[in-house]
Amino acid sequence: MSLPHAILTALLERPSSGLELTRRFDKSIGYFWSATHQQIYRELGKLEAEGHIRALPPEQPARGQRKSYEVLPAGRAELERWTAAAQDPKPLRDALLLRLRAAAVVGTAGLEGDLRRHLQLHRRQLEEYREIERRDFPPGKDGPQDRLHHLILRAGIDLETFWTQWLAQALEELPDLPGGPGGGTDVTDGTASSDGARTTPSR
Amino acid sequence: MSLPHAILTALLERPSSGLELTRRFDKSIGYFWSATHQQIYRELGKLEAEGHIRALPPEQPARGQRKSYEVLPAGRAELERWTAAAQDPKPLRDALLLRLRAAAVVGTAGLEGDLRRHLQLHRRQLEEYREIERRDFPPGKDGPQDRLHHLILRAGIDLETFWTQWLAQALEELPDLPGGPGGGTDVTDGTASSDGARTTPSR
DNA sequence: TGAACCATGTAAGGAGTTACATGATTTC
DNA sequence: GAAATCATGTAACTCCTTACATGGTTCA
């Protein structure tokens, strides 16, 4: 039940059309709550039906027919309620850790390449966050909103930092591990997928 | 598409009944891929229909009528395939960060208590992980499987460490911020919606 | 013999993803 | 005037969650 609140937040920050929201959910709020345009349009419809937002009359000579929405008092109240309400943290769910656990049983063959790719992606994301920090939060700036936004950004930075470090360490340890199926315990029929390329101890 | 593979991994580690799996998904694999018993039973049915697992004949005088499952070669092959296949990391999705972003607009009133609670929960989880590390990974132990399992555990430890540190810092900064909507220095709201999207690149 | 629990399952619905549809506008 | 793209939307499907159902077992 967070998507409507993500949208309310975004619309309070700036009234927008569906497409503008979609664009903004590729950055900014989307960094920690992503959404596709289909989700957004559907949710805009619901929020309007509930009286939480309304379409703005097209003041500019609307080219295309984009509808912009703004938040109504009821919507703001709902967002306040939700923000203050207690919510349990969701348990971690990470496919990469699961794959490593699986690899402990069936072997690490074929894993290294994708770990390397993930490392690159996380490094890139980390760089992007740091760039934003340099640009938007220079030393002098610290209004109350800035402080909160900076805090959120630092969560992103620290998380990406964790992943890059952890992945780098995983890659260091990986080449020493058996690559094929039957990596530890089990009887293995030896017929299964062999993969030559992985014997390179790259590093 | 990760639940079936989580189950295959668990069953390879040890053949189990639905209920045993459910129990094991409260710990161990469940630490990074949780599942309810409904999900598990449904998925066991599918996996059996696909020929990836099969029910073991009840060798013990089955009290109750628990069915235990074991993985068939086809299931193991599928798990190998999945483990080696490239997968994109899922974008971060965190309701707490979203709430902070919302709080930057509607005020932080009511947030502190829940942040404190989250901090406690994360500290407890961190302690649990450290306890497991002490118990299961003493200095001497490092077979190939141990190394992988330890690596996974360290990911959990480092993530919880991050959250505890980040939450502690958030709580330090929070009291200085305006608590209610307009309930503080309302300078931020006069020009409000124009600058909400601070982390959004120029536009 | 009734209460509590064990073990497996069904049903309904919410939330997210993927693929496709439609009309308007810009561009070549 | 055809092609590309903009902007909004529908439809179908998967995955997960919540609530409930059913029959067996233990034990007081």
Side-chain angles (χ1 to χ4, degrees):
Chain A
M1 278 293 286
S2 297
L3 178 58
H5 304 98
I7 291 177
L8 287 173
T9 303
L11 287 181
L12 278 171
E13 289 174 353
R14 175 157 36 93
S16 304
S17 67
L19 190 71
E20 282 170 324
L21 278 177
T22 302
R23 295 274 147 76
R24 292 172 63 199
F25 271 77
D26 285 340
K27 321 224 141 207
S28 192
I29 284 186
Y31 287 136
F32 48 91
W33 203 274
S34 56
T36 64
H37 73 107
Q38 291 87 343
Q39 284 178 274
I40 288 169
Y41 284 119
R42 197 175 341 135
E43 204 61 44
L44 283 173
K46 279 196 213 171
L47 285 168
E48 191 177 22
E50 290 165 357
H52 287 160
I53 63 173
R54 71 163 181 192
L56 285 172
E59 301 175 1
Q60 296 103 313
R63 37 174 219 156
Q65 54 254 65
R66 310 195 311 194
K67 277 184 291 185
S68 269
Y69 293 90
E70 70 173 355
V71 177
L72 296 172
R76 190 189 184 94
E78 165 58 23
L79 186 60
E80 274 170 38
R81 189 203 58 73
W82 177 81
T83 303
Q87 288 173 238
D88 284 330
K90 288 231 150 181
L92 175 61
R93 236 181 209 200
D94 188 277
L96 197 57
L97 296 178
L98 186 56
R99 282 166 77 193
L100 250 65
R101 178 84 172 223
V105 181
V106 301
T108 57
L111 246 182
E112 189 185 336
D114 209 34
L115 287 186
R116 225 171 269 291
R117 197 172 61 88
H118 279 232
L119 177 54
Q120 268 205 335
L121 292 171
H122 284 294
R123 280 193 175 135
R124 215 166 287 156
Q125 190 63 59
L126 177 55
E127 235 349 282
E128 192 174 337
Y129 286 157
R130 284 191 169 137
E131 178 62 33
I132 292 171
E133 188 178 37
R134 276 191 290 274
R135 193 188 58 222
D136 291 345
F137 303 98
K141 212 176 177 192
D142 69 332
Q145 272 196 341
D146 296 318
R147 300 266 292 280
L148 276 172
H149 284 164
H150 197 177
L151 195 57
I152 295 166
L153 180 59
R154 270 201 305 264
I157 290 175
D158 290 351
L159 275 171
E160 295 300 335
T161 300
F162 153 72
W163 280 114
T164 55
Q165 288 176 352
W166 182 84
L167 280 165
Q169 202 197 337
L171 281 164
E172 263 181 45
E173 296 196 11
L174 206 59
D176 311 331
L177 298 169
T185 42
D186 235 329
V187 218
T188 157
D189 54 330
T191 66
S193 65
S194 60
D195 184 337
R198 211 216 54 75
T199 46
T200 343
S202 58
R203 204 226 96 106
Chain B
M1 276 292 287
S2 297
L3 178 57
H5 304 97
I7 291 177
L8 287 173
T9 302
L11 287 181
L12 278 171
E13 290 173 352
R14 173 156 37 92
S16 305
S17 68
L19 189 72
E20 282 170 325
L21 279 176
T22 302
R23 295 276 146 77
R24 293 172 63 197
F25 272 78
D26 284 340
K27 319 223 138 209
S28 186
I29 285 186
Y31 287 136
F32 48 88
W33 202 275
S34 56
T36 64
H37 72 107
Q38 292 87 343
Q39 283 178 276
I40 288 169
Y41 284 119
R42 195 171 347 126
E43 204 62 43
L44 283 173
K46 278 196 214 170
L47 285 168
E48 191 178 22
E50 291 165 356
H52 287 161
I53 63 174
R54 69 163 180 192
L56 285 173
E59 301 173 2
Q60 297 104 313
R63 37 175 221 154
Q65 53 254 63
R66 309 193 313 194
K67 278 184 292 182
S68 270
Y69 293 90
E70 70 173 357
V71 178
L72 296 172
R76 189 189 184 95
E78 166 57 23
L79 186 59
E80 274 170 38
R81 188 203 60 72
W82 178 80
T83 304
Q87 287 172 238
D88 284 331
K90 288 231 149 179
L92 175 61
R93 234 177 211 207
D94 189 277
L96 196 57
L97 296 177
L98 186 55
R99 281 165 78 194
L100 279 184
R101 179 82 173 224
V105 181
V106 300
T108 57
L111 246 183
E112 190 186 336
D114 210 35
L115 287 186
R116 227 171 269 289
R117 199 172 60 88
H118 279 232
L119 177 53
Q120 267 206 335
L121 292 172
H122 284 293
R123 280 192 176 137
R124 214 165 288 157
Q125 189 65 57
L126 178 54
E127 234 351 280
E128 192 175 337
Y129 286 157
R130 284 190 171 142
E131 179 60 33
I132 292 172
E133 189 177 35
R134 273 191 292 274
R135 194 190 55 220
D136 291 347
F137 302 98
K141 212 178 172 192
D142 69 331
Q145 272 197 339
D146 296 318
R147 299 266 292 282
L148 277 172
H149 285 164
H150 198 177
L151 194 57
I152 295 166
L153 180 59
R154 270 202 304 266
I157 289 175
D158 291 351
L159 276 170
E160 294 301 334
T161 300
F162 152 73
W163 280 114
T164 55
Q165 289 176 351
W166 182 83
L167 280 165
Q169 201 197 338
L171 280 164
E172 264 182 46
E173 297 198 10
L174 206 59
D176 313 330
L177 298 169
T185 52
D186 217 319
V187 264
T188 51
D189 251 338
T191 60
S193 39
S194 62
D195 78 346
R198 175 132 300 128
T199 54
T200 306
S202 58
R203 242 205 98 104

